[in-house]
Amino acid sequence: MKKYNVGVIGATGMVGQRFLTLLADHPWFDVKVVAASPRSAGKPYSEAVGAKWCMDVDIPEQVRDLVVMNATEDVEKIASLVDFVFCAVDMKKDEIKALEERYAKAECPVVSNNSANRHTPDVPMVIPELNADHINIIPEQRKRLGTKRGFIAVKSNCSLQSYVPALYPLDEKFGVEDVLVTTYQAISGAGKTFKTWPEMLDNVIPFIGGEEEKSEKEPLKIWGKIEGNEIVPATSPRFTAQCLRVPVSNGHMGAVFVRFKNKPSKEEILNVWENFKGTAQELELPSAPKQFLHYFTEDNMPQTKLNRMLEGGMAISIGRLREDTQYDYKFVCLSHNTLRGAAGGAVLLAELLCAKGYMD
């Protein structure tokens, strides 16, 4: 695989920082551009991020001295320097949508961590193990944008990454009808640490703005199908969700209740999880976990602190599968929200797009 020059737009924020740590030793991608708001532009990256650096490793050497570019004013210049960009900006939704289209129309593909374009009908929202075929909509999007190379692809909301991967392969075999899920979400999902959000210590907040709507709506696009020039969301399974913020640094957990059209045995479910491989594993993409879905037999597993970094934070941990008195089954699942759920999921999506020739 050839080397691609990449940019990180929104490089000083928490997800932008995570992108840079993941890309530091990436076999396919070299970071050539970091971009952020006007107040950071013109400064060396290490100075611009300063005390806001919150990763558990040092700023990668190759970006420390890169001069931060202006994410909104330098679009054409950035597009001329890179093969594509990762986008993790903190702006209003309509502003993000417009900015991502500007990069795409400058013939610079965008792999976005943001939610602004997740429901644009011709923008693929992809978990590479599940719905990799949705990238086939890109030629239709390019027609709309009037581009030859430029397009936008997005990853889904971070909280979905814990439970949707466990349900998707079961639906293919047994038909998932109804899902009730409660998510217990880390503070890094809000771009916070305990240092910047001490109020979260010894606390649970039973509301995360917009999260429940995303958790109920976005899975239907992942389950959807390409029809003509758009991705048409599925009408089932039916999802209902509650989302809680809990005092955990990283890692989103989901408590899932599921009803099937054709109720499988517990052994059949475990067999599907153990043997499931997606396109990311078949292509042996650099960031793909070898075993995507891990099931723990212990009653007290998975645990956030112990298991969130499984396979570099890119695998899904599942446990406590048992029959339920109202639904067919219940179980718990866990994913690392800034790795699999955010920057890592976007890097994996970019690898898929490169492997399939969309970045050439």
Side-chain angles (χ1 to χ4, degrees):
M1 179 64 68
K2 76 170 193 178
K3 280 273 192 176
Y4 294 86
N5 293 329
V6 306
V8 177
I9 312 302
T12 57
M14 182 177 284
V15 175
Q17 294 175 30
R18 181 67 78 181
F19 271 124
L20 295 177
T21 63
L22 292 174
L23 297 169
D25 299 307
H26 196 281
W28 295 1
F29 305 148
D30 281 332
V31 178
K32 297 297 185 184
V33 169
V34 289
S37 66
R39 65 180 176 272
S40 297
K43 300 175 184 177
Y45 180 76
S46 59
E47 179 185 333
V49 72
K52 292 188 296 182
W53 183 259
C54 58
M55 297 293 105
D56 52 8
V57 295
D58 291 337
I59 299 172
E61 280 300 318
Q62 59 265 53
V63 301
R64 288 187 66 86
D65 297 325
L66 279 181
V67 175
V68 177
M69 299 182 71
N70 189 316
T72 56
E73 298 298 323
D74 295 335
V75 173
E76 286 72 21
K77 186 175 180 182
I78 292 169
S80 73
L81 295 172
V82 299
D83 294 304
F84 66 91
V85 296
F86 294 101
C87 188
V89 294
D90 183 12
M91 300 164 62
K92 294 177 181 176
K93 223 173 238 191
D94 57 342
E95 294 173 346
I96 295 172
K97 191 169 184 178
L99 183 64
E100 291 180 348
E101 285 210 0
R102 281 181 61 200
Y103 277 94
K105 288 179 177 178
E107 299 295 359
C108 181
V110 178
V111 180
S112 180
N113 182 72
N114 300 107
S115 64
N117 271 300
R118 286 183 191 156
H119 294 291
T120 304
D122 59 11
V123 170
M125 181 176 68
V126 176
I127 298 174
E129 285 86 354
L130 307 186
N131 62 328
D133 61 305
H134 281 196
I135 66 174
N136 295 331
I137 197 67
I138 289 172
E140 294 298 325
Q141 186 193 145
R142 283 173 169 160
K143 287 180 188 175
R144 174 177 65 84
L145 296 174
T147 59
K148 293 181 179 179
R149 285 191 75 248
F151 65 87
I152 303 162
V154 301
K155 51 152 288 299
S156 67
N157 190 43
C158 54
S159 65
L160 309 186
Q161 309 281 339
S162 61
Y163 59 91
V164 166
L167 293 165
Y168 194 92
L170 298 178
D171 182 58
E172 293 180 346
K173 288 186 173 291
F174 312 114
V176 173
E177 283 195 321
D178 297 298
V179 178
L180 183 154
V181 60
T182 298
T183 60
Y184 303 86
Q185 300 186 204
I187 63 172
S188 57
K192 305 285 188 180
T193 66
F194 287 117
K195 183 177 180 180
T196 61
W197 201 5
E199 297 86 356
M200 273 307 302
L201 287 166
D202 195 29
N203 195 20
V204 171
I205 298 176
F207 174 73
I208 306 172
E211 202 75 3
E212 288 163 359
E213 294 85 348
K214 294 174 187 175
S215 298
E216 294 172 355
K217 186 178 178 183
E218 287 186 22
L220 298 177
K221 185 169 183 179
I222 293 168
W223 256 271
K225 302 292 182 187
I226 295 175
E227 295 182 15
N229 61 358
E230 63 180 2
I231 298 166
V232 177
T235 55
S236 65
R238 294 180 290 266
F239 285 84
T240 184
Q242 286 201 110
C243 300
L244 285 66
R245 189 73 72 193
V246 296
V248 167
S249 59
N250 293 296
H252 288 354
M253 184 171 282
V256 181
F257 299 77
V258 57
R259 185 177 293 117
F260 295 96
K261 292 176 185 173
N262 304 296
K263 182 180 177 181
S265 67
K266 181 178 178 180
E267 291 70 28
E268 286 176 314
I269 293 174
L270 294 176
N271 184 61
V272 168
W273 285 340
E274 182 180 355
N275 293 296
F276 179 71
K277 292 184 184 297
T279 302
Q281 284 71 41
E282 293 164 2
L283 293 174
E284 297 182 343
L285 300 177
S287 299
K290 288 182 171 56
Q291 179 70 34
F292 182 37
L293 306 175
H294 289 250
Y295 184 78
F296 291 83
T297 57
E298 300 91 338
D299 287 340
N300 63 344
M301 299 288 274
Q303 293 181 24
T304 303
K305 192 172 183 178
L306 298 179
N307 305 117
R308 61 191 169 200
M309 286 303 298
L310 188 64
E311 295 218 36
M314 292 298 287
I316 309 302
S317 302
I318 312 170
R320 301 205 69 211
L321 175 67
R322 60 227 190 269
E323 292 197 53
D324 184 59
T325 56
Q326 297 182 41
Y327 286 73
D328 290 332
Y329 286 96
K330 53 191 171 188
F331 59 90
V332 297
C333 40
L334 168 73
S335 64
H336 195 299
N337 57 296
T338 69
L339 288 170
R340 166 55 72 165
V347 171
L348 186 62
L349 172 53
E351 293 168 0
L352 172 68
L353 292 162
C354 289
K356 293 294 187 178
Y358 284 98
M359 299 302 196
D360 296 333

